[in-house]
């Protein structure tokens, strides 16, 4: 049944189904109590042995009873001298989130399998997970000293081992201090330290460690890559990419090196150059999962759907970011108009960063298929089954209802959500928008003023209130103060610039209105901005330009309410 166990344990597990079957089928007829044997002696109760606890533990694990599985395997690990039993106990406890028990069984595992790197790694992780940095450091020192491939290989593996903990708590970086005494002369030690210091946000320590790497190993390409990464973090992008280009030119046959270069190009926004490097990585290592995944996203962004589909299905075969790949396949099929296929892909997103987004996508696709009631029922059932997801699902559904013009339903939903989550600013902001659409202007203003009182620097709330006053009232001075404050906080925001232009238009200053709306439209051709810009152009006598702006916006969003209302007012139905 389980390859990790000794032969005698495996035999027991193989016989288990037969034994259980026989036990279930053995029905002994009632013939009264057995005759008493006065010569018999009552057997003393015995402590269940290791096989008993293994059987109970495996059966509990199979039926999903994590608590019983962990406790049974802990007892088995105490009694057995087989390190594989202690390993299994540790794995079960980690999966159940019982780190204290996992630490106990991992110590047993390590004691039974001295210098076992896997057991020592588990001890490092568990101690860090429990906040015991000193104990983790001791096990880390032991791990590096006894690593099968030598201390250099162990040191190079440390960023991968420690980075999640350093990212969560930068103080974890101190676990490296105990290694300095033994490995200060190793460039690999300083390399690992520099990588982890960058994750911790300590650029001074990272730079110092990188300098030491270059001093100890001036020709080591990893040191040059490290130097480039630090330059990148400092914002010296050109110098960083120049350094990487030089290293790649010298050692271009290493896919890992090209992968790092591709990441840096991507980070700097040079997508075409990044694509070239990712393609070079795949030429060297055809199934490199990160390269496949990134090429899929780049292709999806460029509308190269066949390429994106090919890359994503190849990602699935590697097992890398499987649920993310399912999500993007759903997005791809939706973009291609294959809505039933999209639903199937989104339904497979069971874990990961896109769980909520996938469920909202399912609802959105159902709405596109004219199944609004089914979409809403889907999200309601998810909220009922998953209390931890209620807030993001409320927010997502509220945004959907507003986007599809279901303003009354949005207002009702968001009011219900606010009763449950009264401190959630995003819900209150969305309720204010919905309240404006249904004519509840006093409530909309009340919500927005509450947001501004809680955070006077909330540019979105300031702008929303200023825009609402501009559109629905003649309180222009008050609106101007709000919009100008928002613009001061976020001067490049096209929505705020649009509000500034629309305020000028409402006041009758067409020249100033065109100036601001042209600027907003240049930053974002959003249909509402296009509607405003076209209206000002029309009023300025630039009717052909206005038509062109409106028609372009309608091609991108043929159902936008504000755009259609504006065009109907000026062009007729």
């Amino acid at each position: 049944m389980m390859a990790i166990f000794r032969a005698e344990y495996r035999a027991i597990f193989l016989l288990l189904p037969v034994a259980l079957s026989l036990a279930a089928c053995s029905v002994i007829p009632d013939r009264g109590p057995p005759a008493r044997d006065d010569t018999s002696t009552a057997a003393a109760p015995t402590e269940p042995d290791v096989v008993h606890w293994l059987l109970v533990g495996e059966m509990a694990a199979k039926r999903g009873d994590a608590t019983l599985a962990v406790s049974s395997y802990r007892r088995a690990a105490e009694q057995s001298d087989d390190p594989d039993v202690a390993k299994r106990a540790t794995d079960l406890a980690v999966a159940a989130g019982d780190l204290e028990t996992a630490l106990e069984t991992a110590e047993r595992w390590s004691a039974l399998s001295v210098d076992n790197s896997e057991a020592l790694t588990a001890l490092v992780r568990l101690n860090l997970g429990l906040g015991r940095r000193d104990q983790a450091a001791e096990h880390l020192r032991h791990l590096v000293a006894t690593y099968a491939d030598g201390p250099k290989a162990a040191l190079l593996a440390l960023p991968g081992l420690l980075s999640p903990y350093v990212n969560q708590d930068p103080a974890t970086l101190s676990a490296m201090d105990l290694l300095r005494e033994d490995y200060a002369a190793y460039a690999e030690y300083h390399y690992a330290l520099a990588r982890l210091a960058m994750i911790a946000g300590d650029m001074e320590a990272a730079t110092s460690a990188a300098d030491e790497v270059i001093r100890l190993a001036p020709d080591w390409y990893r040191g040059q890559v490290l130097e480039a990464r630090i330059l990148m973090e400092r914002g010296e992008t050109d110098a960083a990419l120049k350094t990487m280009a030089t290293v790649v030119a010298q050692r271009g046959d290493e896919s890992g090196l090209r992968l790092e270069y591709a990441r840096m190009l991507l980070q700097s926004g040079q997508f075409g150059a990044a694509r070239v490097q990712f393609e070079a990585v795949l030429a060297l290592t055809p199934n490199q999962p990160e390269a496949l995944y990134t090429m899929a996203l780049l292709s999806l962004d460029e509308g190269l759907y066949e390429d994106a589909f090919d890359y994503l299905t190849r990602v699935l075969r590697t097992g890398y970011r499987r649920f993310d790949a399912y999500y993007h396949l759903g997005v791809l099929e939706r973009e291609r108009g294959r809505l039933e296929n999209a639903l199937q892909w989104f339904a497979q997103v069971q874990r990961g960063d896109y769980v909520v987004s996938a469920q909202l996508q399912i609802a959105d696709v159902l709405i596109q298929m004219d199944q609004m009631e089914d979409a809403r029922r889907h999200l309601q059932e998810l909220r009922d089954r998953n209390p931890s997801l209620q807030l993001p699902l409320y927010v997502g559904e509220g945004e959907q209802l507003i986007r599809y013009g279901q303003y009354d339903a949005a207002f009702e939903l968001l009011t219900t959500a606010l009763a449950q989550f009264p401190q959630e600013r995003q819900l209150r902001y969305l309720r204010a928008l919905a309240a404006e659409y249904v004519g509840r202007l006093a409530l909309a203003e009340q919500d927005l003023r509450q947001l501004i009182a809680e955070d006077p620097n909330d540019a979105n709330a300031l702008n929303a209130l200023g825009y609402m006053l501009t559109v629905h009232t003649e309180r222009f001075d008050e609106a101007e103060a709000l919009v100008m404050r928002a613009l001061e906080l976020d001067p490049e925001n096209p929505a705020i610039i649009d509000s500034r232009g629309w305020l000028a238009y409402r006041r009758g200053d067409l020249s100033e209105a065109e100036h601001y709306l042209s600027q907003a439209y240049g930053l974002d051709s959003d249909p509402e901005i296009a509607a405003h810009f076209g209206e000002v152009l029309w009023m300025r006598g630039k009717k052909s330009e206005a038509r062109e702006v409106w028609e372009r916006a309608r091609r991108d969003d043929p159902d936008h309410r504000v755009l259609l209302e504006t065009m109907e007012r000026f062009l007729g139905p």
Side-chain angles (χ1 to χ4, degrees), residues 200-232:
D202 188 344
M203 293 309 297
E204 183 178 349
T207 302
S208 176
D211 289 343
E212 195 65 10
V213 171
I214 293 170
R215 185 186 71 80
L216 291 168
D219 297 325
W220 190 32
Y221 78 95
R222 288 182 186 268
Q224 295 168 304
V225 172
L226 192 58
E227 180 184 23
R229 176 51 68 185
I230 289 173
L231 287 169
M232 197 79 175

Side-chain angles (χ1 to χ4, degrees), residues 315-561:
V315 169
L316 286 178
R317 288 196 290 271
T318 71
Y320 175 80
R321 300 185 71 160
R322 180 162 56 99
F323 295 106
D324 294 359
Y326 287 146
Y327 176 79
H328 291 298
L329 281 163
V331 170
L332 187 156
E333 291 294 74
R334 179 179 175 177
E335 289 294 319
R336 295 203 285 193
R338 302 174 182 178
L339 300 185
E340 292 287 353
N341 289 352
L343 288 176
Q344 292 178 27
W345 288 118
F346 287 134
Q348 295 186 71
V349 184
Q350 301 298 317
R351 292 193 294 276
D353 295 336
Y354 292 103
V355 167
V356 172
S357 296
Q359 301 309 315
L360 291 171
Q361 286 274 14
I362 288 172
D364 218 52
V365 170
L366 289 171
I367 293 171
Q368 282 188 270
M369 298 169 72
D370 296 323
Q371 299 177 36
M372 175 66 79
E373 289 186 9
D374 290 339
R376 297 204 63 195
R377 187 181 307 112
H378 172 70
L379 296 179
Q380 178 63 58
E381 289 173 355
L382 281 172
R383 284 195 295 271
D384 292 343
R385 292 198 307 268
N386 303 279
S388 64
L389 299 181
Q390 285 190 344
L391 177 58
L393 289 171
Y394 271 130
V395 169
E397 185 176 357
E399 290 174 341
Q400 280 181 342
L401 291 170
I402 291 172
R403 184 167 66 252
Y404 285 102
Q406 303 292 310
Y407 304 124
D408 289 314
F411 179 79
E412 181 181 348
L413 175 84
L414 292 163
T415 299
T416 299
L418 271 174
Q420 190 171 345
F421 301 101
Q423 304 305 316
E424 289 299 328
R425 295 177 59 81
Q426 195 170 7
L427 287 175
R428 191 164 299 281
Y429 179 81
L430 288 171
R431 208 269 295 269
L433 299 184
E436 179 188 356
Y437 284 126
V438 299
R440 301 283 299 273
L441 298 182
L443 180 58
E445 182 174 348
Q446 176 183 317
D447 278 343
L448 291 170
R449 289 199 181 281
Q450 179 174 333
L451 292 173
I452 294 167
E454 292 169 355
D455 180 5
N457 294 324
D458 186 336
N460 289 328
L462 289 162
N463 178 60
L465 182 54
Y467 180 74
M468 188 180 76
L469 295 177
T470 298
V471 172
H472 297 289
T473 76
E474 294 187 356
R475 294 154 61 185
F476 297 142
D477 290 343
E478 192 175 348
E480 182 176 17
L482 291 162
V483 171
M484 293 304 291
R485 174 58 182 154
L487 201 58
E488 179 184 335
L489 291 166
D490 193 358
E492 301 299 321
N493 189 317
I496 302 174
I497 298 170
D498 172 73
S499 297
R500 182 73 182 89
W502 200 241
L503 177 60
Y505 177 65
R506 289 275 288 150
R507 280 178 157 166
D509 190 338
L510 297 182
S511 176
E512 184 176 282
E514 182 179 354
H515 167 75
Y516 283 109
L517 290 169
S518 174
Q519 183 182 347
Y521 184 71
L523 292 169
D524 184 358
S525 56
D526 174 85
E528 188 160 350
I529 295 176
H532 291 162
F533 184 39
E535 182 165 340
V536 170
L537 289 172
W538 185 281
M539 297 303 292
R540 296 266 288 169
K542 303 176 182 181
K543 296 185 178 181
S544 62
E545 293 180 41
R547 284 193 180 94
E548 184 180 343
V549 168
W550 287 333
E551 290 297 342
R552 186 182 299 117
R554 186 165 65 175
R555 284 195 296 271
D556 293 337
D557 192 341
D559 300 317
H560 194 277
R561 180 183 63 86

